[in-house]
Amino acid sequence: MSFIVIIPARLASTRLPNKPLADLGGKPMVVRVAERAALSGASEVVVATDHAGIVAACEQHGVQVRMTRSDHPSGTDRIAEVASSMGLAADSVVVNVQGDEPLIDPALIASTASLVKNGVPMATAAHPIHEAAEIFNPNVVKVILDKAGRALYFSRATIPWNRDGFGGSTAAVPAGYTALRHIGLYAYSNAFLQTYPTLALSPLEQVEALEQLRVLWHGFPIAVHVTQDAPAAGVDTPEDLARARRHFIHH
């Protein structure tokens, strides 16, 4: 199946200034992300940015890039503008790969894209977590699925709550209990991608600070690809950047 990848990239990162242009083994991070995405079988990989420095870096390394407006509230709005400017068909599948994921697994991109079809306008990914510290960490977003593998709910809370298992202690994970951690990778039909920015904010997303809850609140299904392995962490901090640099030095 055919899909394209659009990578939103902007320089305004509070914790790590100029993050998309950080050097990873001789290439800027955003270029490394585009190279990984290209291995997924995507028919096109495009960086969406509002910064001339990112445009220059992409052009220097032969990565397709498009300039966007600077007033987008989210990366989703930014990629919607680019998808619209490309004149894609309504049923084209667009994958949003974050610009700070230089170690993303190309197979994960392809598997998530494959779940978008008639009646399922959006897909994302998750993996099992078994450590109590992560299960009870509000910074780790959990998702629960229905029998068709579609998201019932995303939460920072511990879901599903194991009533009997967690009753006495939350220090250990009960036997047989698994939680799913949400992975921030999204695929959409182009028709839905253009609709998404027009959807009204939902009370749920404002309470949990999780943008994807807007989609469920408005009644649209989200398919979830479950991978057994935790993906390599994205780059948010100087420590993450050092770890990613080590990877590119050794490969």
Side-chain angles (χ1 to χ4, degrees):
M1 88 163 256
S2 177
F3 62 93
I4 77 160
V5 170
I6 304 181
I7 302 164
R10 50 197 295 268
L11 281 193
S13 164
T14 45
R15 283 183 287 187
L16 212 55
N18 298 341
K19 182 163 71 167
L21 297 178
D23 182 86
L24 292 178
K27 293 180 182 177
M29 180 167 4
V30 68
V31 170
R32 292 291 189 187
V33 176
E35 289 175 343
R36 293 293 285 177
L39 298 174
S40 68
S43 57
E44 284 187 83
V45 176
V46 185
V47 172
T49 187
D50 60 359
H51 194 276
I54 294 175
V55 172
C58 290
E59 288 177 343
Q60 183 187 346
H61 291 278
V63 172
Q64 196 180 158
V65 60
R66 290 196 177 220
M67 198 77 167
T68 68
R69 302 200 320 266
S70 59
D71 59 352
H72 287 301
S74 76
T76 315
D77 298 86
R78 191 175 306 284
I79 71 165
E81 180 193 336
V82 169
S84 175
S85 73
M86 292 175 72
L88 301 176
D91 62 352
S92 293
V93 175
V94 177
V95 184
N96 177 355
V97 173
Q98 300 302 321
D100 57 4
E101 300 274 355
L103 303 176
I104 191 164
D105 178 5
L108 185 64
I109 298 172
S111 297
T112 303
S114 73
L115 295 181
V116 177
K117 46 186 177 287
N118 284 343
V120 185
M122 181 169 166
T124 188
H127 70 89
I129 46 174
H130 309 287
E131 299 79 24
E134 292 209 321
I135 290 169
F136 296 103
N137 181 353
N139 295 318
V140 174
V141 178
K142 275 70 69 172
V143 59
I144 43 176
L145 311 183
D146 67 10
K147 68 175 185 179
R150 296 176 187 177
L152 286 169
Y153 192 62
F154 298 87
S155 183
R156 297 179 181 280
T158 304
I159 55 172
W161 182 260
N162 190 314
R163 189 197 67 170
D164 298 333
F166 295 151
S169 161
T170 53
V173 181
Y177 175 87
T178 304
L180 289 175
R181 180 182 191 156
H182 178 231
I183 299 168
L185 172 74
Y186 296 103
Y188 320 81
S189 69
N190 184 42
F192 184 67
L193 179 59
Q194 301 308 322
T195 301
Y196 185 87
T198 70
L199 297 175
L201 288 176
S202 73
L204 287 177
E205 76 178 287
Q206 291 172 301
V207 167
E208 293 249 21
L210 296 174
E211 196 185 289
Q212 64 271 30
L213 287 173
R214 186 184 318 174
V215 177
L216 297 182
W217 193 79
H218 283 281
F220 296 98
I222 302 176
V224 181
H225 169 70
V226 178
T227 176
Q228 290 311 303
D229 304 315
V235 176
D236 275 324
T237 65
E239 294 75 26
D240 295 337
L241 183 58
R243 190 189 62 248
R245 281 185 168 142
R246 284 195 297 275
H247 172 90
F248 286 103
I249 287 167
H250 295 307
H251 289 70

